[in-house]
Amino acid sequence: MSSLWGVVPAAGSGRRMASEVPKQYLKIAGSPLLEHTLRGLLACADLRGLVVVLDPGDRRADAVGSLSDPRISSAPGGAERADSVLSGLNSLAGVAAPDDWVLVHDAARPCLPLSDLQNLISVVRERGMGGLLAQPLSDTVKRVDDGLRVVETLDRQMLWRAQTPQMFRVSELQGALEDMRRQGLVVTDEASAMEQAGYGVQIVEGSPCNLKVTVPDDLMLAEHYLKTMAARRV
Ligand code: C5P
């Protein structure tokens, strides 16, 4: 069976958080956010290795205990998220086979339930098609013009919010992200690159608690989810 690897892009500055400390190092429920994210992935026994992509000048990572786990290695981050993911994939080149699977998971998503992760892995492995966790939309969605005038109301039944992890074959994802870079196109998730390259991509329904911490209010919500998840485990 193909091995499973992970890449965690954690080299962002988190501008929208308006904090001096990059968001992956902000403390929630007693630990840096990145620590929770790594624990969530390391809980999966199937994972052979995990590359954490860090800003090369970043000393804050020393405070993240999980980074010394034997399954974890690091790689230098790039200018955009996709550059950081490519850097992580390149560092897997010596150990992963081209057909192996890789999970890419944002450092900024600390509340990933193990059941969601296992569900994604088993659906993707079973169907042999890459995929991602996502959530159906509950709000009505408007498309607007530059002046914020509503152009149309979209059919929300056909719309999903993409989360991470996103799981693809190592070499296919690497090729798709390299193509995007060559064309000068910036993608904000792996699935976009795979779609543009013509691959099928499937959705696996995830939980609302797997939020991406982006603005200060998200911290409170993430802490609440982490505490609730920990209470359910005991
Ligand atoms: O900024 P955003 O929330 O979209 O970032 C998503 C993830 O990508 C975060 O975990 C962030 O640390 C990471 N990232 C990165 N390299 C960049 C930009 C973002 O690893 N240049």
Side-chain angles (χ1 to χ4, degrees), residues 2-6 44-50 70-72 95-97 100:
S2 309
S3 294
L4 178 66
W5 305 89
C44 172
D46 204 10
L47 196 71
R48 266 191 71 183
L50 186 61
R71 279 187 288 170
I72 290 193
V95 284
D100 280 353

Side-chain angles (χ1 to χ4, degrees), residues 17 57 65 69-70 104 107 109 125 158-159 183-184 186 195 214 221:
M17 190 56 82
D69 186 284
V104 179
R109 291 187 189 269
R125 278 196 186 280
M158 310 304 285
L159 295 171
Q183 293 174 55
V186 175
E195 292 154 35
T214 308
L221 200 53

Side-chain angles (χ1 to χ4, degrees), residues 47-66:
L47 196 71
R48 266 191 71 183
L50 186 61
V51 183
V52 184
V53 187
L54 299 167
D55 179 341
D58 176 3
R59 295 272 64 87
R60 292 189 169 96
D62 298 345
V64 178
S66 285

Side-chain angles (χ1 to χ4, degrees), residues 9-12 16 23-24 53 78-81 84 106-108 212-214:
R16 284 166 292 182
K23 64 182 170 184
Q24 56 273 34
V53 187
E80 302 287 342
R81 182 185 177 284
S84 294
D106 285 333
K212 184 169 77 166
V213 173
T214 308

Side-chain angles (χ1 to χ4, degrees), residues 19 24 29 43 54 63 65 70 83 85-87 102 122 158 181 195-196 201 227:
S19 151
Q24 56 273 34
L54 299 167
D83 300 315
V85 173
L86 249 183
S87 165
V102 62
S122 65
M158 310 304 285
R181 185 191 268 177
E195 292 154 35
Q196 302 246 16
V201 176
K227 287 181 175 164

